Amino acid sequence: MNQKEISELRRRFRPDKSAVSRIYGCYVNASSREIISYLDESLGVLPQEEAEKYLSLLKKTLSGSLGKNLIDVVFTTHQVADSDEHRLLMALRDSQLKDGEVREAFYRTVIDALDMGEDNYLLLLVHDAYDVPYRGKDGQDQADASDQVFSYILCCICPVKSCKMELGYFPGENEFHSCAAGQVVSAPELGFLFPAFDDRAANLYNALFYSRKADQIHHEFLDAVFRTEPPMSPAEQKEAFQSALTGALEEACSLEVMQAVHGQLLEKIENHKERKEPEPLALSPQEVGSILRDCGVPEEKTAAFQAQCGEAFGGGALNPENLIDSKHFDIRTEQVTISVDPAYSFLVETRIIDGRKYLLVPAGEGVEVNGLAVELEAAVPEEDKPAEETP
């Protein structure tokens, strides 16, 4: 799926656009793995505020960045043809969630596997049938020329947290007293869409998995529900990329090389955002290898890096947004940390002065120490110092 297709489905969860008629789910005790209560409600009879809250929670399951919060899950041909996990998902979709036994089987699959720590959680399930508008060559939708219906399910899992005691105003007594708001449903921690909406049509070979924390993917959930090879989290991708750089380049992994790699990847990220391309940005290990060659890294070390990247990422494309921190460029020594705007990382230089290694940062106007403006006194070279007068 690309960003346009995700946005198209997100619009389905606006109160004025939604065609979701019923919401199902269960409230789960995380420690005992028992269902406390079930949810089976018609959105049409709920108070408007409550219905909008449910739609808002579901909509958040289609938010975030592709490749970070939103990850493609791919089924094998064998799974689609004959597997319990795919059969269960298809049964949920084809029954439009109306089969109670199928829902219960799904609930148990999730509850028996999912680890949410100490937080109880609310599992929500909805089905939607989207009459996909025909899109002409001019890119405009023609709602009256639809030729297919996209039938899908959306699931989200929301932690339920207890609120702290607060002071509240009691009008009848005209006083303030301690009060508790009870338990509150938080934003979804994870969820998924099945099947995927690829090329604006159902793709039974894919699902779209959502994780609120990009570096904390619930592998136990992925394994239980999809039984596919879990994707690398952004944190794991970054670690694998850095390991390939340091392991292959060895002594050639200099500050200048890292500045060049970081700078060129950042430029590609910014250009991709400016072009507003719906597909996520992707680079091959060979393209990153070209950056290393331009920095003067020897060919054999560049080839070693490409080989290690190919092995770590399974020959797949690299997402630059997962490989670098586009908002920070930090240089650390044992005693000092230098934080630089990534766009100006080139200002930091390395020098050897009197046999000692230094990091140099040019200081212009507006130097501050802990928010206090200071003046820098220029050091006078020894040869330019006036000779001391002999009394």
Side-chain angles (χ1 to χ4, degrees), residues 317-366:
L318 314 182
N319 184 343
E321 292 191 77
N322 293 343
L323 306 181
I324 64 169
D325 187 337
S326 60
K327 297 181 179 180
H328 300 91
F329 190 88
D330 295 341
I331 305 170
R332 291 185 175 89
T333 69
E334 291 183 359
Q335 297 83 18
V336 178
T337 297
I338 303 174
S339 296
V340 189
D341 184 324
Y344 297 97
S345 66
F346 63 90
L347 292 176
V348 183
E349 300 179 14
T350 57
R351 295 283 178 84
I352 296 179
I353 303 175
D354 295 334
R356 191 172 184 179
K357 297 176 182 178
Y358 285 88
L359 294 170
L360 300 185
V361 181
E365 300 296 327

Side-chain angles (χ1 to χ4, degrees), residues 66 82 103 113 134 143-145 171 179 182 247 302 323 325 374:
L66 277 168
D82 183 23
R103 293 200 310 271
Y134 174 77
D144 56 349
C179 62
T302 299
L323 306 181
D325 187 337
V374 297

Side-chain angles (χ1 to χ4, degrees), residues 241-242 244-263 291-298 301-302 305 329-332 345-346 348-352 357-359:
F241 178 71
Q242 293 177 341
L245 277 174
T246 56
L249 270 58
E250 297 176 326
E251 73 281 355
C253 189
S254 64
L255 172 63
E256 290 73 19
V257 168
M258 292 307 301
Q259 286 172 315
V261 170
H262 198 283
I291 298 175
L292 299 179
R293 289 190 191 91
D294 293 341
C295 297
V297 175
K301 293 188 180 295
T302 299
F305 163 78
F329 190 88
D330 295 341
I331 305 170
R332 291 185 175 89
S345 66
F346 63 90
V348 183
E349 300 179 14
T350 57
R351 295 283 178 84
I352 296 179
K357 297 176 182 178
Y358 285 88
L359 294 170

Side-chain angles (χ1 to χ4, degrees), residues 204-346:
L204 300 180
Y205 286 81
N206 284 63
L208 187 69
F209 175 74
Y210 166 79
S211 177
R212 185 176 69 86
K213 299 176 182 177
D215 58 343
Q216 295 181 20
I217 296 176
H218 284 267
H219 291 117
E220 77 284 1
F221 177 91
L222 287 164
D223 182 59
V225 175
F226 305 115
R227 295 200 177 279
T228 59
E229 185 68 26
M232 296 175 68
S233 70
E236 291 170 331
Q237 293 178 43
K238 185 177 181 181
E239 183 179 354
F241 178 71
Q242 293 177 341
S243 178
L245 277 174
T246 56
L249 270 58
E250 297 176 326
E251 73 281 355
C253 189
S254 64
L255 172 63
E256 290 73 19
V257 168
M258 292 307 301
Q259 286 172 315
V261 170
H262 198 283
Q264 292 200 37
L265 293 182
L266 181 62
E267 183 179 355
K268 292 181 182 296
I269 292 171
E270 295 301 325
N271 290 340
H272 183 265
K273 288 181 180 178
E274 290 177 4
R275 292 193 297 267
K276 297 182 179 180
E277 296 181 2
E279 299 292 341
L281 177 61
L283 295 177
S284 68
Q286 288 71 27
E287 289 177 286
V288 181
S290 296
I291 298 175
L292 299 179
R293 289 190 191 91
D294 293 341
C295 297
V297 175
E299 181 60 37
E300 65 274 12
K301 293 188 180 295
T302 299
F305 163 78
Q306 293 174 177
Q308 289 191 30
C309 260
E311 182 178 343
F313 291 89
L318 314 182
N319 184 343
E321 292 191 77
N322 293 343
L323 306 181
I324 64 169
D325 187 337
S326 60
K327 297 181 179 180
H328 300 91
F329 190 88
D330 295 341
I331 305 170
R332 291 185 175 89
T333 69
E334 291 183 359
Q335 297 83 18
V336 178
T337 297
I338 303 174
S339 296
V340 189
D341 184 324
Y344 297 97
S345 66
F346 63 90

